[in-house]
C-alpha cells in the first residue's frame, strides 16, 4: 500500500466505532506503518490508538502507545508533533484513570504520572483544574477522605479550560461525590441543568444518567430512575469498556426489586468478565453479579460461555454467586495491599450483601404496569357468574342426579360438584338400583378435567365403565349418549381414533332414529367433535349442520353447537360464513350469560371481523366476564386488533399484560409475544422501549432455537436502533443477521441485509466501509439471480467509493456497474425499474468520470438519460441529471448549450429548493461566461444567490 493508502486507512479507522473491529484495524495499520519510514503516520496512529484502546476495552495497551508517543515527543521533536500536543496532554487523564484500576501497578507510578501531568499543564499555560480532579479520584479510590475533600475543593474552585473534562463528565464525577456523601437531593439538582443542555461527549448522557440512578431512587423519583436506567443501559450495553457501569445497573436492578432483570443483565454480560477491561471493573461487576444472583432461587442456572480451558456450561446461580464473591473479594484485597488501606475490601463487602431497598420499581418494558380493566362499551346486566345451587334437604337419589345433570347441561360446574357431593354424602353407601348407579357413573365424567392427557385417560376409563353399566341395566338410549361421549374422547388420540369415530357415528345414528330432538342434536354435535379432533373439517360441518337444525330444543346446546360450528368454519377458511356464525354464537352466548361460552364466542368474532374496532369491542365484552385462563388470548387478540386499528399506544398495554401472563403461567411463547410488543412500541414511536423488548425477544427466540423468527426480530431491531441514531448497534445486528443468513436459500435476504448495512454506513459518511457492504450485497444479489438488484447495489458501491475519495477504486468499479447494466438491457418492454436503475447508473458513472476530469466521456454517459427518466415520471431525478449535464457543459467551455439546458430545468424546479438554487447559480455562471452580467445578476437576485 502507498503512503496515501495508509493515511486513508488511518482516517477510516478514526471514524470507526470503538471496539474490537477498530482495534484490529488499528493494529494492522501500526504494523504497516512501522514497516515503512513514515514517522508521522506511526506517531499519529499511536495517538489514535491510545484513545481506541481506552474506549475499546483494552486500556492496558494504551500505556504502551502513550509512552511511545510521549517519548518520541520529548526526545526528538518534529514539526508535526505540535498538532498533537493537546491530544497528548488530554491522554494523561486516561493514564491516571487506568493506572489506578490495575493493582499490579504501584501507586507511586500513578502519583509520578500526576506530577508529570501537572508540570506539563503548567508549562503549556493550562489550568490545573483537570489535574486536581484526578488527584481527587486517586484519593477517593484509596479511601483518603481528607485528601479527597481537599482535592475536590481545589477542583471545584479552579477555572476550567480546554483540557477540562466535558460539561457532562465533570458533573458526573460531582454527582458520584455527592452520592458517596449521601447528599442525593443536591446530586439531582446539580445534574438537572446538565441534562437540559446538549451533551456531545461519547461518554454522555449515559455516564451522568448512571450516576443518577441512586439519587433518583433515594429521592423517590421512580419514573426518572426508570428512564435513566433504560436510556443509559441501552447506550452502555454494547461496549466492553463499560463493564463497571453495567455493574452499576445490575446493582440498581437488585436494589429496586427487579431480580429477573438483574439476572438477565448478569447472564448477558457474564462472558465480559473473562476479558474485563481492568481488574477494577472485574471486581465491581463480580460483586454486583454475586449480590444479584443471591436474590433468585439457587437451583436456577445461568449459561456461561467457554473461555480458555473452561468449557461452556449451565452453572447453578448459587455456586456462581459464591465464585464471583471470591473473585471480587480477592481483587479488593489486591487493591488494598497496593494502596495500604482497607477501603476497597470494605466497599466490596457492602456490595456483596446488597438487596432490595424500599418499594419495588418495575423496570422492564415488557412487564405490565398496574392492570387497568378494559373499558365497558355499555352497562352489562347479564348474569356472568354461576348462581348458587340450592340442594333440597329431602331430595331423593334420582332427584339429586337429575339436578346434577341439569347443572352439567347448563355448564354450572360448581353446582355440579356441590350436588354430587351431597349425593355421595347421603347415598354413597346405599344399595341403589342399577340405573341410579349407572347414572352416577355417567355424571362422574362431568366432574373430571380433560385439559391434559392424564385427565383424558381417566375420563375415558370412567365413560367405559358408565357405558357398561347402562348396557347392563339395560338402557340403550342412555348407553348411546355415553358411547358418543366416549367416542369423542377416543378420537383425541391417534391409536384409538378409529374406535372413537365408530362409536360416535353409531351413537349419532341411533339417537337420530330413537331420540328426542335434543338427543338427536347432541348426538350430531358429539360426532362433529370427534371429526374435529381428527381435523376432518367438512365431515364435522355436515354433522354440525344436522345438529343445528334441531338444537333449538335446548338453548344451551344451541349455544354450544353454534360455537363449534364457528370454529369449524374458521378452519375451512369460509370467511363470510365464519363471520356470520361468530356473530350468532356471540349473541346466543350473551343471552345465556355463560362466561366461558361468551369469551370463546367473542374471541372467535374478533378473529372473524375485518373491522379492528369491532374486534376490540368484542374483546372488551369478553374481558368483563372472562375466566382468568382466558385473559392471555384475549389480551393478545385485543392488542393485535389495536395495532391493526393504528392504535399502537393502546396495544402496548394489552401486549405487555399478555407477556406477563405468559411468564406467570410458565407458558412457552413469551419471546414471540415480546416480539409483537416490541413492534407495538416501535409503531407507537417509543423506540427506546421497543429496543429493550426486541432484545429480550431475540434472546428468548435464540434460546428456543427459533432462528428464523429470531432473525426477523433482529431485522426489526436494526431498524429501531437506526431510528434511535445508534448506527453502530444497528450495524452490529445486521452483521449478525448476514452471518446467520449464510445458506443458498437465504441469498436474497442476505443481500438485502448487506445493502441496508451499506446504506447505514453511507448515511454516516463511512463511505469506504459502505462500499464494501454494497459490493458484498451485489455479489449476493447476483448469485440469487436478482439482476436489477445487483445493478442497484453496484451503483451504490460506485457512489460510496467516489465519495470516499478513493478514485482509483471508483474507476475500477465502473466495469462492474457496466456489466450489471448490460445484463438487464435489451428487453423489448423494459420495466420502469430497469429504466430507472440504468439511468441512475449512468449518472453515477458520470460523476466518477468527472473526478478523473474526463468531461466528454461523462457527457456521453448522460446522453438521453433525462428523457428516459421522464418516460417513467422520475421528474426529480431527470432534473438532477440535467443540472449535472449543465455543469459539465460549463466546465467544458460550452456556456450557450448550458444556458439552453438550464433555463427550462430551473423553470420546473420548486422555487427556494436546493436544486433550484444550484441550477440558478450555474445559469448565472453561464450568462457571465457569455458576457451577459446584467442577466446573470437578475437570476442571482431572483433566487437569492450572492455574487461569486
Amino acid at each position: 500500500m502507498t503512503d496515501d493508502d495508509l493515511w486513508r486507512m488511518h482516517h477510516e479507522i478514526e471514524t470507526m466505532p470503538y471496539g474490537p473491529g477498530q482495534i484490529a484495524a488499528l493494529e494492522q495499520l501500526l504494523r504497516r506503518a512501522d514497516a515503512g519510514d513514515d514517522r508521522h503516520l506511526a506517531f499519529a496512529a499511536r495517538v489514535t490508538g491510545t484513545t481506541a484502546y481506552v474506549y475499546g476495552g483494552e486500556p492496558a495497551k494504551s500505556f504502551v502507545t502513550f509512552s511511545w508517543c510521549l517519548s518520541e515527543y520529548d526526545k526528538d521533536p518534529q514539526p508535526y508533533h505540535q498538532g498533537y500536543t493537546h491530544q497528548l496532554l488530554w491522554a494523561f487523564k486516561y493514564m491516571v484513570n487506568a493506572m489506578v484500576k490495575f493493582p499490579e501497578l504501584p501507586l507511586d507510578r500513578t502519583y509520578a504520572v500526576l506530577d508529570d501531568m501537572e508540570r506539563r499543564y503548567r508549562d503549556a499555560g493550562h489550568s490545573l483544574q483537570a489535574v486536581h480532579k484526578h488527584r481527587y479520584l486517586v484519593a477517593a479510590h484509596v479511601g483518603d477522605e481528607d485528601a479527597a475533600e481537599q482535592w475536590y475543593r481545589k477542583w471545584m474552585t479552579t477555572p476550567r479550560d480546554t483540557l477540562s473534562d466535558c460539561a457532562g463528565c465533570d458533573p458526573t464525577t460531582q454527582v458520584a461525590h455527592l452520592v458517596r456523601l449521601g447528599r442525593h437531593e443536591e446530586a439531582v439538582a446539580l445534574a438537572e441543568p446538565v441534562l437540559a443542555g446538549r451533551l456531545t461527549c461519547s461518554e454522555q448522557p449515559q455516564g451522568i444518567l448512571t450516576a443518577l440512578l441512586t439519587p433518583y431512587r433515594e429521592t423517590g423519583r421512580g419514573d426518572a430512575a426508570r428512564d435513566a436506567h433504560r436510556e443509559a443501559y441501552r447506550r452502555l450495553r454494547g461496549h466492553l469498556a463499560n463493564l463497571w457501569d453495567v455493574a452499576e445497573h445490575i446493582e440498581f436492578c437488585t436494589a429496586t426489586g427487579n431480580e429477573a432483570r438483574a439476572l438477565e443483565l448478569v447472564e448477558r454480560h457474564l462472558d465480559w468478565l473473562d476479558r474485563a477491561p481492568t481488574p477494577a471493573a472485574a471486581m465491581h461487576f463480580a460483586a454486583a453479579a454475586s449480590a444479584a444472583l443471591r436474590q433468585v432461587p439457587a437451583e436456577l442456572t445461568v449459561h456461561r460461555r467457554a473461555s480458555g480451558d473452561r468449557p461452556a456450561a449451565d452453572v447453578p446461580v448459587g455456586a456462581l454467586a459464591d465464585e464471583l464473591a471470591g473473585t471480587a473479594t480477592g481483587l479488593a484485597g489486591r487493591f488494598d495491599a497496593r494502596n495500604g488501606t482497607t477501603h476497597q475490601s470494605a466497599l466490596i463487602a457492602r456490595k456483596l450483601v446488597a438487596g432490595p431497598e424500599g418499594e419495588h420499581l418495575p423496570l422492564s418494558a415488557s412487564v405490565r404496569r398496574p392492570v387497568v380493566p378494559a373499558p365497558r362499551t355499555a352497562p352489562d346486566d347479564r348474569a356472568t357468574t354461576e348462581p348458587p345451587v340450592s340442594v333440597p334437604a329431602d331430595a331423593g337419589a334420582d332427584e339429586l342426579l337429575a339436578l346434577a345433570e341439569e347443572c352439567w347441561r347448563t355448564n354450572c360446574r360448581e353446582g355440579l360438584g356441590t350436588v354430587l357431593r351431597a349425593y355421595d354424602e347421603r347415598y354413597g353407601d346405599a344399595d341403589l338400583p342399577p340405573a341410579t348407579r349407572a347414572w352416577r357413573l355417567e355424571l362422574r365424567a362431568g366432574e373430571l378435567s380433560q385439559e391434559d392427557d392424564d385427565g383424558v385417560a381417566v375420563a375415558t376409563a370412567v365413560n367405559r365403565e358408565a357405558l357398561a353399566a347402562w348396557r347392563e341395566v339395560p338402557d340403550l338410549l342412555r348407553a348411546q349418549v355415553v358411547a358418543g361421549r366416549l367416542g369423542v374422547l377416543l378420537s383425541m388420540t391417534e391409536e384409538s381414533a378409529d374406535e372413537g369415530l365408530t362409536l360416535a357415528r353409531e351413537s349419532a345414528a341411533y339417537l337420530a332414529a330413537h331420540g328426542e330432538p335434543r338427543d338427536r342434536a347432541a348426538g350430531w354435535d358429539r360426532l362433529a367433535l370427534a371429526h374435529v379432533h381428527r381435523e376432518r373439517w367438512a365431515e364435522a360441518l355436515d354433522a354440525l349442520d344436522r345438529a343445528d337444525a334441531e338444537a333449538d330444543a335446548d338453548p344451551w346446546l344451541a349455544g354450544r353447537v353454534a360455537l363449534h360450528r364457528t370454529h369449524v368454519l374458521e378452519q375451512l377458511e369460509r370467511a363470510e360464513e365464519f363471520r356470520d356464525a361468530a356473530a350468532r354464537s356471540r349473541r346466543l352466548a350473551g343471552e345465556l350469560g355463560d362466561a366461558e361460552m361468551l369469551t370463546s364466542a367473542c374471541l372467535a368474532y374478533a378473529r372473524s371481523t375485518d373491522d379492528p374496532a369491532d374486534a376490540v369491542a368484542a374483546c372488551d365484552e369478553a374481558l368483563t366476564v372472562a375466566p382468568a385462563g382466558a385473559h392471555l388470548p384475549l389480551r393478545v387478540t385485543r392488542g393485535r386488533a389495536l395495532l391493526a386499528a393504528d392504535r399502537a399506544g393502546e396495544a402496548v398495554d394489552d401486549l405487555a399484560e399478555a407477556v406477563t401472563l405468559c411468564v406467570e403461567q410458565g407458558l412457552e411463547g413469551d419471546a414471540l409475544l415480546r416480539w409483537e410488543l416490541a413492534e407495538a412500541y416501535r409503531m407507537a414511536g417509543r423506540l427506546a422501549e421497543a429496543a429493550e423488548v426486541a432484545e429480550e425477544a431475540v434472546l428468548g427466540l435464540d434460546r428456543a432455537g427459533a432462528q428464523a423468527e429470531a432473525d426477523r426480530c433482529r431485522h426489526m431491531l436494526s431498524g429501531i436502533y437506526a431510528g434511535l441514531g445508534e448506527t453502530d448497534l444497528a450495524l452490529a445486528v445486521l452483521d449478525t443477521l448476514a452471518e446467520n443468513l449464510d445458506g443458498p436459500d437465504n441469498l436474497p435476504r442476505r443481500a438485502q441485509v448487506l445493502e441496508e448495512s451499506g446504506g447505514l454506513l453511507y448515511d454516516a459518511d463511512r463511505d469506504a466501509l459502505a462500499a464494501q457492504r454494497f459490493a458484498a450485497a451485489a455479489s449476493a444479489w447476483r448469485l440469487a439471480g436478482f439482476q436489477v438488484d445487483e445493478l442497484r447495489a453496484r451503483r451504490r458501491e460506485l457512489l460510496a467509493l467516489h465519495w470516499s475519495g478513493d478514485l482509483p477504486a471508483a474507476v475500477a468499479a465502473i466495469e462492474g456497474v457496466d456489466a450489471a447494466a448490460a445484463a438487464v438491457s435489451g428487453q423489448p418492454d423494459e420495466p420502469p425499474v430497469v429504466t430507472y436503475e440504468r439511468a441512475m447508473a449512468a449518472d453515477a458513472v458520470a460523476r466518477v468520470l468527472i473526478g478523473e476530469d474526463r468531461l466528454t466521456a461523462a457527457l456521453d454517459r448522460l446522453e438521453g438519460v433525462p428523457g428516459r427518466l421522464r418516460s417513467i415520471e422520475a421528474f426529480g431525478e431527470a432534473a438532477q441529471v440535467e443540472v449535472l449535464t449543465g455543469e459539465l457543459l460549463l466546465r467544458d467551455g460550452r456556456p450557450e448549450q448550458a444556458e439552453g439546458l438550464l433555463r427550462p430545468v430551473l423553470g420546473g424546479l420548486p422555487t427556494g429548493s436546493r436544486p433550484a438554487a444550484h441550477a440558478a447559480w450555474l445559469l448565472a455562471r453561464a450568462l457571465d461566461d457569455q458576457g451577459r452580467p446584467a442577466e446573470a445578476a437578475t437570476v442571482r437576485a431572483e433566487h437569492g444567490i450572492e455574487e461569486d
Side-chain angles (χ1 to χ4, degrees):
M1 298 179 74
T2 66
D3 287 348
D4 286 345
D5 291 333
L6 292 175
W7 276 105
R8 188 181 299 111
M9 183 179 178
H10 178 252
H11 172 70
E12 291 170 5
I13 290 170
E14 287 184 308
T15 64
M16 290 176 70
Y18 297 124
Q22 186 194 39
I23 288 173
L26 172 80
E27 291 178 345
Q28 182 183 37
L29 174 62
L30 285 173
R31 288 191 293 271
R32 290 179 174 175
D34 288 346
D37 57 2
D38 190 337
R39 293 179 61 194
H40 183 184
L41 177 62
F43 189 90
R46 283 174 169 81
V47 171
T48 299
T50 300
T51 304
Y53 286 134
V54 168
Y55 288 105
E58 299 186 44
K61 292 182 177 180
S62 73
F63 299 150
V64 178
T65 54
F66 176 77
S67 299
W68 188 96
C69 289
L70 199 63
S71 175
E72 285 286 307
Y73 186 91
D74 288 342
K75 74 180 182 182
D76 188 14
Q78 297 293 319
Y80 58 79
H81 284 163
Q82 296 309 307
Y84 298 93
T85 300
H86 183 85
Q87 289 169 272
L88 284 175
L89 292 176
W90 186 279
F92 269 96
K93 298 187 291 184
Y94 297 154
M95 297 303 105
V96 175
N97 270 326
M99 291 174 73
V100 79
K101 295 172 183 174
F102 287 85
E104 61 269 31
L105 295 180
L107 209 55
D108 287 347
R109 288 178 61 183
T110 303
Y111 289 134
V113 171
L114 273 168
D115 292 341
D116 190 23
M117 175 182 176
E118 180 171 342
R119 178 184 63 80
R120 291 176 187 267
Y121 276 40
R122 286 186 189 277
D123 291 347
H126 283 287
S127 168
L128 298 184
Q129 193 256 14
V131 178
H132 297 331
K133 174 182 178 177
H134 285 77
R135 291 194 186 279
Y136 156 76
L137 289 171
V138 175
H141 165 77
V142 302
D144 188 341
E145 294 299 332
D146 291 340
E149 187 61 34
Q150 170 195 344
W151 289 117
Y152 183 83
R153 285 196 302 269
K154 286 190 174 184
W155 169 34
M156 290 294 97
T157 56
T158 302
R160 292 173 52 83
D161 74 351
T162 56
L163 288 174
S164 297
D165 284 343
C166 79
C169 290
D170 263 358
T172 297
T173 309
Q174 292 174 249
V175 167
H177 174 76
L178 293 170
V179 170
R180 283 198 313 116
L181 300 177
R183 293 155 60 180
H184 301 296
E185 284 287 357
E186 292 177 61
V188 173
L190 185 149
E192 283 178 352
V194 178
L195 291 171
R198 187 174 177 216
L199 299 173
T200 57
C201 169
S202 63
E203 297 181 45
Q204 300 300 340
Q206 61 270 28
I208 195 165
L209 289 173
T210 298
L212 284 166
L213 293 174
T214 296
Y216 277 152
R217 179 175 57 80
E218 290 287 345
T219 58
R221 294 173 168 88
D223 289 343
R226 180 190 302 113
D227 292 345
H229 165 65
R230 285 180 177 166
E231 173 73 8
Y233 176 69
R234 182 170 53 79
R235 293 173 178 270
L236 293 166
R237 68 194 161 203
H239 301 284
L240 176 64
N242 298 326
L243 181 61
W244 190 327
D245 288 327
V246 168
E248 298 285 338
H249 285 269
I250 293 172
E251 289 179 14
F252 175 73
C253 291
T254 300
T256 53
N258 289 276
E259 297 87 355
R261 182 160 176 79
L263 178 63
E264 176 191 327
L265 266 60
V266 170
E267 186 167 19
R268 181 180 296 173
H269 297 283
L270 185 59
D271 66 311
W272 285 13
L273 196 58
D274 298 319
R275 47 198 170 97
T278 66
M283 175 179 71
H284 284 275
F285 180 86
S290 176
L293 293 174
R294 295 191 192 282
Q295 309 307 313
V296 298
E299 64 272 14
L300 291 180
T301 61
V302 168
H303 183 72
R304 195 179 200 183
R305 295 183 179 90
S307 177
D309 296 332
R310 188 192 69 218
D314 291 328
V315 185
V317 297
L320 184 57
D322 291 342
E323 178 189 332
L324 295 177
T327 298
T329 302
L331 285 168
R334 289 176 59 197
F335 277 109
D336 284 342
R338 190 268 308 268
N339 299 338
T341 68
T342 59
H343 178 70
Q344 293 297 320
S345 293
L347 176 64
I348 293 304
R350 290 194 299 272
K351 288 178 177 287
L352 287 171
V353 296
E357 301 176 24
E359 294 184 5
H360 170 65
L361 176 64
L363 296 179
S364 174
S366 59
V367 175
R368 66 182 176 206
R369 304 290 181 274
V371 181
V372 178
R376 294 174 181 241
T377 55
D380 190 342
D381 56 2
R382 293 192 298 263
T384 57
T385 58
E386 295 183 14
V389 174
S390 175
V391 182
D394 57 349
D398 286 353
E399 290 175 300
L400 285 177
L401 293 179
L403 180 58
E405 187 167 80
E406 178 64 11
C407 289
W408 192 6
R409 181 185 73 82
T410 58
N411 204 27
C412 182
R413 299 283 179 178
E414 291 184 12
L416 173 66
T418 300
V419 175
L420 290 177
R421 281 192 297 273
Y423 174 93
D424 292 339
E425 290 171 1
R426 299 178 194 180
Y427 303 106
D429 298 327
D431 185 16
L432 298 170
T436 302
R437 293 197 301 273
W439 198 359
R440 177 63 185 91
L441 271 174
E442 176 186 348
L443 290 171
R444 186 180 170 216
E447 297 177 276
L448 299 173
S449 169
Q450 300 173 17
E451 294 182 357
D452 55 33
D453 291 343
D454 291 340
V456 170
V458 173
T460 299
V462 168
N463 274 286
R464 285 192 186 279
E465 191 176 352
L467 175 60
W470 278 119
R471 284 173 173 168
E472 188 177 340
V473 168
D475 188 327
L476 295 182
L477 189 74
R478 296 304 296 247
Q480 286 298 336
V481 170
V482 175
R485 294 189 186 120
L486 177 59
V488 173
L489 291 169
L490 291 170
S491 67
M492 296 172 70
T493 58
E494 186 69 37
E495 58 271 16
S496 59
D498 290 342
E499 180 190 358
L501 284 169
T502 299
L503 282 173
R505 283 196 195 96
E506 291 175 351
S507 170
Y510 183 91
L511 293 172
H514 303 285
E516 297 296 324
R518 186 193 181 283
D519 297 322
R520 295 196 292 270
W524 293 119
D525 183 54
R526 286 188 286 269
L527 176 58
L529 288 177
H531 284 307
V532 164
H533 289 317
R534 306 319 308 155
E535 297 185 3
R536 300 169 63 166
W537 307 112
E539 292 94 331
L541 182 61
D542 180 66
L544 285 166
D545 286 342
R546 296 188 183 196
D548 195 44
E550 297 189 273
D552 287 345
D554 179 355
W556 287 89
L557 177 59
R560 283 192 286 272
V561 169
L563 186 58
H564 296 158
R565 191 169 182 276
T566 297
H567 292 316
V568 169
L569 286 167
E570 181 179 13
Q571 293 298 324
L572 288 169
E573 298 182 356
R574 290 160 64 167
E576 189 172 342
E577 293 175 80
F578 170 40
R579 186 164 52 252
D580 292 342
R584 177 170 178 258
S585 178
R586 181 182 174 191
R587 175 177 58 78
L588 291 175
E591 291 171 355
L592 292 170
D594 182 74
E596 289 185 14
M597 194 182 299
L598 180 59
T599 298
S600 295
C602 286
L603 273 169
Y605 182 82
R607 295 192 301 272
S608 75
T609 181
D610 294 329
D611 185 345
D614 281 351
V616 172
C619 291
D620 288 344
E621 181 180 6
L623 281 167
T624 63
V625 300
H631 278 229
L632 175 56
L634 279 169
R635 289 294 181 182
V636 172
T637 302
R638 189 174 191 271
R640 290 172 178 168
L642 287 166
L643 281 177
D646 207 17
R647 294 160 60 185
E650 298 171 71
V652 162
D653 294 333
D654 283 281
L655 293 172
E657 174 69 7
V659 170
T660 304
L661 289 169
C662 191
V663 172
E664 287 176 346
Q665 296 171 26
L667 301 175
E668 296 180 357
D670 67 288
L672 289 168
L673 289 175
R674 289 176 201 264
W675 180 11
E676 292 191 63
L677 175 57
E679 174 66 5
Y681 274 124
R682 186 193 67 80
M683 292 176 63
R686 296 164 63 176
L687 296 184
E689 291 148 303
E692 177 185 328
V693 178
E695 289 167 358
E696 295 171 358
V698 167
L699 187 63
L701 292 167
D702 277 340
R703 284 175 175 167
Q707 183 174 325
E709 291 77 9
D711 284 344
R712 288 167 60 198
C713 190
R714 279 189 178 91
H715 194 235
M716 178 185 71
L717 180 58
S718 71
I720 293 168
Y721 284 151
L724 287 165
E726 297 183 356
T727 302
D728 294 335
L729 286 175
L731 289 168
V733 173
L734 289 174
D735 286 347
T736 300
L737 194 50
E739 290 173 10
N740 291 347
L741 298 170
D742 58 353
D745 294 341
N746 289 323
L747 275 172
R749 288 193 61 209
R750 175 179 169 82
Q752 177 189 353
V753 167
L754 289 167
E755 193 168 350
E756 288 180 17
S757 179
L760 286 174
L761 289 163
Y762 187 81
D763 291 341
D765 292 330
R766 289 151 68 177
D767 299 309
L769 290 174
Q772 295 174 19
R773 296 295 203 286
F774 288 138
S779 297
W781 285 125
R782 178 175 53 78
L783 290 171
F786 288 71
Q787 293 178 321
V788 178
D789 298 283
E790 181 194 356
L791 174 57
R792 181 188 60 248
R794 291 292 180 200
R795 167 175 63 83
R796 300 180 77 182
E797 175 197 2
L798 181 64
L799 287 172
L801 288 169
H802 170 63
W803 294 116
S804 74
D806 192 348
L807 186 58
V811 171
I814 291 176
E815 182 180 352
V817 175
D818 285 344
V824 298
S825 300
Q827 301 181 43
D829 294 316
E830 186 172 85
V833 65
V834 174
T835 300
Y836 181 86
E837 286 301 337
R838 287 181 60 213
M840 298 312 295
D843 175 83
V845 170
R847 294 178 187 276
V848 174
L849 293 173
I850 293 168
E852 277 203 310
D853 211 22
R854 295 165 60 189
L855 304 185
T856 302
L859 283 166
D860 290 343
R861 290 280 184 164
L862 297 177
E863 181 70 29
V865 169
R868 296 204 300 272
L869 287 169
R870 285 198 177 85
S871 73
I872 58 170
E873 299 184 358
F875 300 115
E877 290 85 346
Q880 169 188 310
V881 173
E882 286 178 322
V883 171
L884 177 60
T885 303
E887 183 176 349
L888 283 171
L889 290 169
L890 271 177
R891 292 177 60 177
D892 200 37
R894 294 186 266 173
E896 298 87 352
Q897 290 177 257
E899 178 190 357
L901 180 65
L902 291 168
R903 277 196 184 276
V905 173
L906 181 58
L909 291 171
T911 302
S913 65
R914 289 185 63 186
H918 187 203
W921 184 85
L922 291 170
L923 177 58
R925 283 284 308 276
L927 293 168
D928 279 335
D929 289 353
Q930 295 177 67
R932 295 152 61 187
E935 294 177 62
T938 300
V939 171
R940 291 189 179 98
E942 287 176 354
H943 293 275
I945 300 170
E946 294 183 6
E947 190 166 355
D948 295 342

